[in-house]
């Protein structure tokens, strides 16, 4: 038994040694001492690409890369095929860069042409007409859209052969008409409000809308000063003051007071209180009729560092009538830590 085991060990060691010698012969150097086979990381470094690219191309049957079966950690890519692949890859990358440069040049040329059409080429336009590209630049739209308006009669023009010309008077009329109207977004920016307020002003008859069915709603510019005056006279909703104070109040951590955080502070005195309740008080146009909401509003004011009377917003009831003690209000101010941290630091 001992002799047999010793012979087996010798045979195993001999076999492993022979395989190592075979691998060394296979991975021997070629002409000039260069390796015959390369690993994927070495091939990626030689080609100048990622290992994932080498791995993907080595699996393609039509690839230039020639491989051999995997065996442990030995290299599997033929060095000569890697050099051929590197030359192909470099040419491919040069072609991609050339296409990208060409595309960027064409884009810059098109932008420059739109910004400055330059001297007119081709036949002279008819009297009191301009080219479609000039009309497109003046109207801030594409030339194809100008041609569509000419064909549908929205713009007046003259067609000579296959070429359209835009009548100057029609173009000027469209520019003047567009100057009389403003989009909801532009109106909101001028009036300092939201687009929802603009839509509400349209429904109330303060603003005149051009075409209710148009894809881009517009209103008369001359009505915008009336909207500004209306907004200045409008009384903000009752809860807007509390909302404005909350949004300008910072916590000791430096963060602004959120509805969720304010609800957590109020809940320490009143019990369960959610962000939805806080939002309901802030959106209320008039003092709440509910006693529970009045208690929440008073606690919100105290947590935001306001006086009880100021925070109650003329609630008509003293905090004591709402079962809120002075200790409760002081506790709210202390827990929020925001009484002296209003506004930007």
């Amino acid at each position: 038994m001992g002799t047999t085991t010793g012979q087996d060990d010798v045979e195993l060691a001999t076999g492993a040694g022979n395989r190592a010698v075979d691998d060394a012969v296979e991975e021997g150097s070629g002409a000039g001492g260069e390796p015959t086979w390369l690993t994927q990381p070495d091939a990626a470094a030689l080609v100048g690409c990622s290992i994932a690219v080498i791995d993907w191309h080595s699996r393609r049957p039509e690839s230039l890369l020639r491989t051999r079966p995997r065996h442990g950690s030995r290299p599997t890519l033929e060095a000569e095929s890697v050099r051929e692949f590197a030359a192909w890859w470099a040419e491919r990358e040069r072609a991609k860069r050339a296409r990208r440069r060409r595309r960027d040049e064409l884009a810059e040329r098109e932008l420059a042409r739109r910004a400055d059409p330059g001297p007119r080429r081709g036949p002279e336009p008819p009297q009191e007409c301009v080219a479609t590209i000039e009309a497109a630049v003046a109207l801030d739209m594409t030339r194809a859209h100008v041609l569509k308006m000419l064909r549908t009669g929205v713009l007046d023009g003259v067609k000579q052969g296959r070429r359209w010309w835009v009548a100057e008077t029609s173009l000027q009329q469209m520019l003047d008409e567009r100057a009389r109207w403003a989009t909801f977004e532009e109106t909101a920016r001028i009036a300092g409000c939201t687009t929802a307020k603009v839509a509400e002003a349209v429904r109330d008859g303060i603003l005149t809308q051009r075409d209710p069915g148009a894809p881009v709603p517009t209103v008369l510019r001359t009505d915008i000063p009336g909207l500004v005056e209306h907004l200045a006279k409008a009384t903000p909703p009752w809860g807007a003051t509390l909302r404005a104070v909350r949004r300008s109040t910072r916590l000791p951590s430096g963060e602004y007071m959120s509805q969720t955080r304010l609800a957590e502070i109020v809940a320490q005195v009143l019990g369960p209180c959610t962000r939805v309740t806080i939002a309901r008080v802030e959106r209320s146009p008039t003092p709440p009729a509910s006693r529970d909401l009045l208690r929440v509003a008073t606690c919100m004011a105290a947590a935001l560092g306001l006086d009880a009377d100021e925070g109650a917003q003329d609630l008509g009831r003293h905090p004591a009538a709402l079962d809120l003690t002075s200790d409760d209000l002081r506790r709210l101010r202390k827990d929020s830590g925001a009484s002296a941290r209003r506004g930007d630091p």
Side-chain angles (χ1 to χ4, degrees), residues 147-158:
L147 291 173
K148 180 179 178 181
M149 291 194 297
L150 286 169
R151 287 192 291 266
T152 56
V154 178
L155 273 176
D156 295 333
V158 177

Side-chain angles (χ1 to χ4, degrees), residues 81-157:
S81 69
V82 172
R83 285 188 284 272
E84 294 175 2
F85 180 82
W88 173 83
W89 181 263
E91 182 62 29
R92 176 179 179 270
E93 291 298 303
R94 279 194 295 270
K96 285 177 61 177
R97 289 193 293 271
R99 289 195 300 270
R100 191 178 298 114
R101 285 195 300 269
R102 176 62 177 168
R103 186 169 61 250
D104 294 342
E105 291 173 0
L106 291 176
E108 292 177 0
R109 192 179 305 171
E110 177 64 16
L111 290 175
R113 184 185 66 81
R114 290 191 177 189
D116 182 13
R120 183 180 292 108
R121 300 178 181 178
E124 288 295 322
Q127 193 172 8
E128 297 183 352
C129 289
V130 297
T132 52
I133 186 62
E134 297 178 16
V137 172
L139 294 171
D140 191 21
M141 60 179 60
T142 63
R143 181 172 175 269
H145 194 72
V146 172
L147 291 173
K148 180 179 178 181
M149 291 194 297
L150 286 169
R151 287 192 291 266
T152 56
V154 178
L155 273 176
D156 295 333

Side-chain angles (χ1 to χ4, degrees), residues 13-33:
T14 304
N18 291 338
R19 285 195 298 273
V21 171
D22 293 341
D23 290 345
V25 172
E26 280 188 322
E27 296 165 15
S29 301

Side-chain angles (χ1 to χ4, degrees), residues 167-320:
E168 291 182 352
T169 55
S170 180
L171 175 61
Q172 189 59 46
Q173 287 175 1
M174 177 166 287
L175 291 173
D176 295 341
E177 182 66 15
R178 291 179 62 177
R180 295 179 59 232
W181 303 91
T183 63
F184 277 23
E185 289 76 11
E186 186 179 0
T187 304
R189 188 168 58 251
I190 295 174
C193 63
T194 63
T195 54
K197 283 290 184 183
V198 175
E200 182 180 345
V202 170
R203 291 193 297 269
D204 295 341
I206 300 172
L207 296 174
T208 303
Q209 189 172 355
R210 182 179 186 180
D211 182 7
V216 180
T218 54
V219 297
L220 201 61
R221 284 184 182 274
T222 54
D223 292 344
I224 297 179
L227 173 62
V228 175
E229 184 179 356
H230 170 75
L231 293 174
K233 293 180 180 179
T235 303
W238 175 83
T241 302
L242 288 175
R243 181 174 64 248
V245 173
R246 176 184 60 78
R247 289 180 174 177
S248 63
T249 299
R250 284 183 181 270
L251 296 168
S253 62
E255 299 178 352
Y256 283 104
M257 178 76 77
S258 65
Q259 291 179 336
T260 302
R261 179 55 184 151
L262 185 56
E264 293 173 353
I265 296 172
V266 172
Q268 296 177 11
V269 172
L270 298 183
C273 180
T274 64
R275 182 188 66 83
V276 176
T277 305
I278 300 296
R280 183 179 175 186
V281 173
E282 291 182 346
R283 290 197 302 265
S284 180
T286 58
S290 168
R291 184 174 183 274
D292 292 337
L293 288 182
L294 289 177
R295 285 163 53 85
V296 172
T298 305
C299 291
M300 288 170 58
L304 295 173
L306 298 175
D307 293 335
D309 294 336
E310 182 183 357
Q313 295 279 309
D314 297 328
L315 294 176
R317 298 187 185 183
H318 192 270

